[in-house]
Amino acid sequence: MSTAVSSARRETLHRRIRLIVAITIGYNLIEAVIAITAGSVASSAALIGFGLDSTIEVLSAAAVAWQFTRRDPARWEKPTLRVIAVAFFALAIYVTATSVLSLFTAQRPEHSTVGIVLTAVSVVVMPFLSLAERRAGREIGSATAVADSKQTLICTYLSAAVLIGLVVNTLFGWWWADAVAGLVIATFAVHEGLEAWKGDACATSVGMLLEDEHDEH
């Protein structure tokens, strides 16, 4: 990540990051309320877990928003990275617990049109927020912004997994699909949490590698 940025450009990027995380926080708060409500109605552990995951994303984005309201954001890189790392670990623990519980209890959720629409919208919206924050973070040399963008990207994966699980369950009755996908996502979350804890937020996940290849072309 480059740090050779003029003062004016740096301030512009600070404002951009604050705007991105503000949108992320607002979106995830709405998403959490809708997902938890729809999950309760449909008795869907996946949807309820998805809603609770949104609250974890709010925590991560709020930490970055707080950092970039400081006079010297770079001074707060390490403690903010630790908060993001804890958010990753919390996400991994919760997704693992709900996925394993769903597999053991063979819980069969009811069809949820609201859940399908909500997760489909998230699959479209979240990658744009992740990419915008990642680019701004890399340009300004902020490990926390990049780490938070990875948190958003993993939440995109989770949205896709829940969406596939809901659709497959509706069409074929494969109730276990989203639980299995959730376990895979939890593995990614642990990896990214470890990278953030070590301060190596420039390390690339599978999703980042794919985006980098796209940028090169």
Side-chain angles (χ1 to χ4, degrees), residues 57-70:
E57 171 64 13
V58 168
L59 170 63
S60 177
V64 176
W66 176 85
Q67 178 194 355
F68 281 90
T69 60
R70 304 298 93 189

Side-chain angles (χ1 to χ4, degrees), residues 128-205:
F128 286 103
L129 293 174
S130 174
L131 181 59
E133 186 176 9
R134 170 194 163 214
R135 285 179 171 174
R138 284 188 169 181
E139 183 175 350
I140 204 173
S142 171
T144 54
V146 173
D148 185 56
S149 75
K150 289 184 178 184
Q151 170 83 353
T152 302
L153 190 64
I154 286 185
C155 289
T156 303
Y157 298 154
L158 182 59
S159 301
V162 175
L163 173 61
I164 292 171
L166 291 173
V167 171
V168 168
N169 178 63
T170 296
L171 295 178
F172 307 108
W174 294 356
W175 53 269
W176 44 265
D178 66 305
V180 172
L183 292 175
V184 175
I185 292 167
T187 302
F188 280 106
V190 170
H191 170 73
E192 298 297 355
L194 291 173
E195 298 296 339
W197 188 268
K198 292 185 296 184
D200 187 18
C202 291
T204 54
S205 65

Side-chain angles (χ1 to χ4, degrees), residues 2 13 29 31 43 46 61-62 64-65 71 81 95 109-110 116 121 128 130 145 147 149-151 157 181 192:
S2 174
L13 291 170
L29 286 173
E31 183 179 72
S43 298
V64 176
R71 185 182 299 274
L81 275 173
V95 171
E110 299 176 10
I116 290 175
V121 170
F128 286 103
S130 174
S149 75
K150 289 184 178 184
Q151 170 83 353
Y157 298 154
E192 298 297 355

Side-chain angles (χ1 to χ4, degrees), residues 49 53 90-100 158 179 181-186:
D53 160 69
L91 170 60
I93 290 170
Y94 189 83
V95 171
T96 298
T98 55
S99 296
V100 170
L158 182 59
L183 292 175
V184 175
I185 292 167

